[in-house]
Each structure stands twice: as structure tokens, then as C-alpha cells.
């Protein structure tokens, strides 16, 4: 995940470019992630979060999507920013896509777990539903570390009783044609697949 800052906040303005049913947003969905959600290396409006917003509007669902993702973000950074984001946006659903940069920097898993729990609990304290997107890292980081890292997301989600996508990059990770030249960040062709990985669990949270 690149350390370059690339924040994307998306809202109803996208509808000026796309013909969809007119829906007045009544609830907010907050995405807190890293470069995988911040459209790193992609044309604006082509990332999976932007596709999600378009899908919700097309389906006539009254949700405003706020993408507070930043390239290079860690769970510590997300945890620090979340309180203000919750205060400002009062989301009904929070999607947490963080942790990969912790692993790439070799940070201790205990710290990642603590930060994830903190973010989940802060979101639940304002009445928001939470979806945690799990990640894997390459095996060259050591089998024990990579296994514990992958299992961490499911363990935290289960103990906190929140929704969980086991592997956000499922159906993408092993296909180099779906990555940018850096072989780290998924390209535009991968974005609908990423959205497809998230939607089944997310749609359950969007129901009244």
C-alpha cells in the first residue's frame, strides 16, 4: 500500500454524471480504508467505493457514501481519525478496510488487533453496524505471521459480533492482470470484483 496520501470523499455529486433514480440519502455509510479503497492509481470514480455508491443509487437505496480512505493508512491512523469522522457523519454503517499496511511494516499483531477492536467498539457505541474486510499478506513474511494476520480479522469480528469478509482481494489476488504495474494495487478491471466480494455481507447491514 503506497504511503502517498490520496483521500477520496464521495457523495451525491457523482449522480450528475450518471443517470440513476433520484433518491434523497437518509443514512450514511462510512468507508475507512487504505489505498485499496482510496482509488490509488485509478481514475476518480472507478474504485469499488464509487461503484458501491452508484449501485446503491441505482437500486433506489437512500444511502450517502463517505469514503474516508487514505493511501498508506494503518489501523493506528484509522483509529485516531475515526472519532471525528463518527461525530461529523453519524454513519449507520461503517466498513473497516485496514490492516494491510500494519503487516507490510511488520507491526505487532497485538497492536493491530487492539486498534481494530477500538474502531469497531467506537462505531458500535454510536449505534452503527460494522463490516470488517479481512486481508492476507505474502508468505515471505513468515508462515506464522501471515497465518496469524489472516486469522486476526475473523477472530476480532466474531468476538465483537460484527460482519466480516474473510478476504477482500478474493478472486483478484492471484491474477496479475488485475493489478497495476506495481503488482500491489488492483486496477480498474478488479474494482467490480472487489465490490462483489463486499456486497453480500454489506447488503445484510443495509436492510432496515
Amino acid at each position: 500500500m503506497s504511503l502517498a496520501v490520496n483521500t477520496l470523499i464521495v457523495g451525491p455529486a457523482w449522480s450528475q454524471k450518471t443517470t440513476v433514480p433520484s433518491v434523497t440519502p437518509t443514512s450514511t455509510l462510512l468507508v475507512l480504508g487504505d489505498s485499496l479503497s482510496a482509488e490509488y492509481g485509478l481514475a476518480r470514480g472507478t474504485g469499488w467505493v464509487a461503484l458501491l455508491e452508484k449501485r446503491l443509487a441505482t437500486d433506489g437505496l437512500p444511502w450517502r457514501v463517505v469514503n474516508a480512505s487514505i493511501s498508506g493508512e494503518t489501523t493506528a491512523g484509522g483509529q485516531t481519525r475515526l472519532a471525528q469522522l463518527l461525530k461529523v457523519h453519524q454513519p449507520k454503517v461503517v466498513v473497516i478496510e485496514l490492516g494491510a499496511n500494519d503487516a507490510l511494516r511488520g507491526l505487532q499483531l497485538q497492536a493491530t488487533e487492539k486498534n481494530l477492536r477500538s474502531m469497531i467498539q467506537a462505531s458500535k457505541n454510536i449505534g452503527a453496524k460494522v463490516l470488517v474486510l479481512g486481508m492476507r499478506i505474502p508468505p515471505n513474511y513468515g508462515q506464522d505471521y501471515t497465518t496469524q494476520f489472516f486469522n486476526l480479522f475473523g477472530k476480532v469480528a466474531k468476538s465483537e459480533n460484527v460482519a466480516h469478509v474473510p478476504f477482500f482481494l478474493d478472486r483478484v489476488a492471484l491474477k496479475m492482470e488485475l493489478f497495476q504495474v506495481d503488482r500491489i494495487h488492483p486496477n480498474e478491471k478488479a474494482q467490480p470484483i472487489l465490490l462483489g466480494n463486499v456486497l453480500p455481507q454489506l447488503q445484510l447491514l443495509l436492510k432496515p
Side-chain angles (χ1 to χ4, degrees), residues 32-53:
L32 185 64
D34 52 35
S35 57
L36 297 178
S37 299
E39 294 191 329
Y40 177 86
L42 302 174
R44 297 289 76 87
T46 62
W48 77 269
V49 180
L51 298 181
L52 168 63
E53 186 175 36

Side-chain angles (χ1 to χ4, degrees), residues 2-190:
S2 170
L3 298 184
V5 175
N6 182 14
T7 307
L8 174 67
I9 302 296
V10 293
W14 73 268
S15 60
Q16 298 172 3
K17 300 180 180 180
T18 308
T19 302
V20 296
S22 178
V23 179
T24 300
T26 58
S27 300
T28 297
L29 184 158
L30 174 68
V31 179
L32 185 64
D34 52 35
S35 57
L36 297 178
S37 299
E39 294 191 329
Y40 177 86
L42 302 174
R44 297 289 76 87
T46 62
W48 77 269
V49 180
L51 298 181
L52 168 63
E53 186 175 36
K54 295 175 185 178
R55 172 67 178 269
L56 295 178
T58 299
D59 290 346
L61 299 177
W63 287 85
R64 178 176 72 105
V65 178
V66 174
N67 191 350
S69 302
I70 299 178
S71 293
E73 187 72 289
T74 61
T75 58
Q79 192 272 335
T80 299
R81 292 193 297 123
L82 183 58
Q84 182 64 17
L85 291 169
L86 295 177
K87 180 180 179 180
V88 171
H89 300 291
Q90 293 294 306
K92 297 298 183 182
V93 172
V94 176
V95 178
I96 300 174
E97 183 272 300
L98 289 172
N101 286 308
D102 294 39
L104 293 178
R105 297 179 185 185
L107 302 181
Q108 292 191 354
L109 295 176
Q110 295 90 333
T112 299
E113 179 176 344
K114 179 181 178 180
N115 293 331
L116 284 174
R117 288 189 186 278
S118 177
M119 288 185 282
I120 292 170
Q121 291 168 4
S123 300
K124 291 166 64 176
N125 285 341
I126 69 161
K129 300 176 183 178
V130 179
L131 174 61
V132 175
L133 306 187
M135 284 295 297
R136 293 181 183 272
I137 55 173
N140 56 293
Y141 284 79
Q143 189 60 51
D144 287 344
Y145 186 88
T146 55
T147 299
Q148 290 180 47
F149 176 77
F150 174 70
N151 291 336
L152 182 155
F153 296 92
K155 180 179 71 173
V156 172
K158 182 177 181 180
S159 64
E160 295 292 339
N161 194 29
V162 297
H164 171 230
V165 172
F167 184 32
F168 179 43
L169 296 184
D170 188 35
R171 300 182 295 153
V172 172
L174 299 180
K175 299 179 180 179
M176 285 300 101
E177 67 272 18
L178 295 178
F179 283 83
Q180 299 177 39
V181 293
D182 61 10
R183 297 190 176 185
I184 296 176
H185 298 94
N187 60 28
E188 187 172 332
K189 292 180 180 179

